Amino acid sequence: MTTIRDVAKRLSLSITTISRALDGYGDVAEGTRKLVEQTAREMGYAPNRAARQLRRKRTDTLGYILPASESQFADPFFSEFIAGLGDQAATENFDLLVLTAAPGSEAEKGLFQRWVQGRKVDGMVLNRMRLYDWRVQYLSGQGLPFVSLEKSLDGVDHPYVEVDVRAGFVALIQHLVERGHRRIAYIGAGRELKIQSDRFAGYGAGMVSAGLELEPRLVCDGDLSRQSGYQATRKLLAMKNPPTAITCANDLTAIGALEAAHDLSQEVGRGLVVAGFDGIEESQHTQPPLTTLKQPVYEIAQHLVRMLVAMLLEQPLPERRVQLQAELLVRQSTNS
Amino acid sequence: MTTIRDVAKRLSLSITTISRALDGYGDVAEGTRKLVEQTAREMGYAPNRAARQLRRKRTDTLGYILPASESQFADPFFSEFIAGLGDQAATENFDLLVLTAAPGSEAEKGLFQRWVQGRKVDGMVLNRMRLYDWRVQYLSGQGLPFVSLEKSLDGVDHPYVEVDVRAGFVALIQHLVERGHRRIAYIGAGRELKIQSDRFAGYGAGMVSAGLELEPRLVCDGDLSRQSGYQATRKLLAMKNPPTAITCANDLTAIGALEAAHDLSQEVGRGLVVAGFDGIEESQHTQPPLTTLKQPVYEIAQHLVRMLVAMLLEQPLPERRVQLQAELLVRQSTNS
DNA sequence: TTGTAGGCGTTATCAA
DNA sequence: TTGATAACGCCTACAA
């Protein structure tokens, strides 16, 4: 491996000069810089990252832990999210460290230790927040910069991105009401999750603003998987006075609902309608295509990385809280 | 941040002893070791990764570059693949560095430089191989250990995993022939890709072994996306003597094909049948559910990491070439 | 404009 | 069984 020493030797210059020439300092003669740059390229020199990190006390690396719980790592939400993180990180000249761990597991805690205490990452990106989230406590305790999609209730002040779920749901419920629906069900996510709290609240707000009462029997638990959407829907449709509309905490749940309806030979789109949340690509391709609230996932990921990098470089942060809108995509599952 | 020095000072021991106690060397008194371990835990000490890397000349980090080309990073194949890599890496105590880059782009080359020449990773995992792949040349030139899913034709000897595509396709075509199909089309992937070469060859072998002739007009180009499957299918079905069966290079393509059929009011399952390749979760949930050749993605990823880690630790590698089978899942898209 | 030298936190060699 | 010490490769105050 060629080191900065090799380059220096070749040019009979000091390593200091090489270092500064390559890092774009102003106090290097233009001719020298050119020469150094060219020779470095020729020799295939790239600074050893470990040495640089040790000296600079930064790693230029961001960490993200994919919340994979066996059943549900297949949520396409995450591919897009990771792609967004990766792209933006790359353009900012940061690397992205990714691992999988089940939320709340010992493995997850171990990883945090390894990365944070060992300073393997400069900052972390969190998502899938829990209402009270030990990660937030831990990171703020350790003084490691982090950003998150959704904000937990831990009362720690940190930059974050959120989606205006309430406005989205209000628009969705209004759309359903306009189509004549009154008995509108909701299939939720794990209760410990912030998105469940947000989305359920959004559903509630939508119902209230439409002047409808919230019937507890029309609210089901779920876990963001197709299966849970399927089961909850079977239960809902077996009721005496079943709902005519089903809203869901995410698209996968809604896709499960479509399947349940299909198995019960219920056509979806008019008498029974279904809506999701996320706007994953698959939602365009279901039968019938799924009405959903589309989150700008890629953009969210970009924002998160930008905010985190700004913190790390101690650049002024234009806004510590970014709110993005969810877009209501009306498709045939509510509009046949 | 607490360093090994702090721990040493607290215990009035030398840093040498601390280091060896924690790394499990044999020449440390049992009592000392216990004491050191406990104190280190109490003080929240974790070795600085950069320093360790610099000294040990290894990073305990694996690299993977997600081949994201705008349109198609949403392929759920990759979420599962990354989850598999991440899980296995974690159990082997390695970290996983992930970035996105368009295949063959300058960005991709830049990342390789940064990671490989800067020794930011100890080894790389490659997939989506091109027939002739500069990455293989580059890595073997640099002497950086790597493994891949599929093997390029560069003639470099390295450990890899492959799927027995041929056997899978033969079984699939046989199944189709048994159901009475003779005009069997194939929608492929980019011609520069190894999987295209393999899967097309598999299709050919299947046709031959069924005693059928390969009609060029029934072979279409595609790019592994839904859109390309859709377009190719429209073209195929507009022919004079259209195919009655359509096989595809992956599930997304097949899903596009289902949609095209749907738009043309062609029912899929009997008169016209469609099959995919990959076995992504979505394939169970299409209308009708999709017949496909399921690759053991998670297992593939695990194998790759195990092989790579074995190389890095210079452990004996039981096999430098692992071949896994694709499982034919017959569903209603070919069997109504 | 360039060079000298110290140190980032570890691990490993050698001596005690 | 333990300790002193020299690297690993780079960056940066300071000196020239």
Side-chain angles (χ1 to χ4, degrees), chain A residues 55-101:
Chain A
R55 176 63 228 232
R56 284 195 178 158
K57 293 176 177 284
R58 349 183 302 234
T59 62
D60 296 334
T61 300
L62 312 179
Y64 172 67
I65 298 187
L66 186 64
S69 42
E70 286 283 339
S71 69
Q72 88 183 44
F73 61 81
D75 192 332
F77 174 90
F78 293 109
S79 348
E80 190 168 353
F81 192 70
I82 290 184
L85 294 179
D87 273 5
Q88 191 59 30
T91 60
E92 309 252 14
N93 277 303
F94 273 73
D95 290 331
L96 180 68
L97 208 49
V98 172
L99 277 186
T100 42

Side-chain angles (χ1 to χ4, degrees), chain B residues 60-64 89 94-97 121-123 125 305 308-309 312:
Chain B
D60 296 333
T61 300
L62 312 179
Y64 172 68
F94 273 73
D95 291 330
L96 180 69
L97 209 48
V121 299
D122 292 339
V125 176
V305 169
L308 184 51
V309 168
L312 295 175

Side-chain angles (χ1 to χ4, degrees), chain A residues 90-167:
Chain A
T91 60
E92 309 252 14
N93 277 303
F94 273 73
D95 290 331
L96 180 68
L97 208 49
V98 172
L99 277 186
T100 42
S105 64
E106 279 313 304
E108 191 186 37
K109 292 185 183 168
L111 288 179
F112 265 77
Q113 286 248 337
R114 222 162 77 193
W115 285 5
V116 176
Q117 318 239 19
R119 287 286 182 248
K120 174 121 190 178
V121 299
D122 291 340
M124 294 271 311
V125 176
L126 307 181
N127 73 348
R128 214 24 85 81
M129 304 306 288
R130 280 80 94 177
L131 283 174
Y132 295 92
D133 203 308
W134 69 267
R135 299 174 295 174
V136 170
Q137 300 289 355
Y138 177 76
L139 291 176
S140 77
Q142 293 285 331
L144 194 97
F146 67 99
V147 295
S148 69
L149 169 57
E150 310 133 32
K151 189 170 192 309
S152 76
L153 304 179
D154 294 283
V156 172
D157 180 42
H158 63 88
Y160 66 101
V161 174
E162 66 177 2
V163 172
D164 189 351
V165 173
R166 172 176 296 251

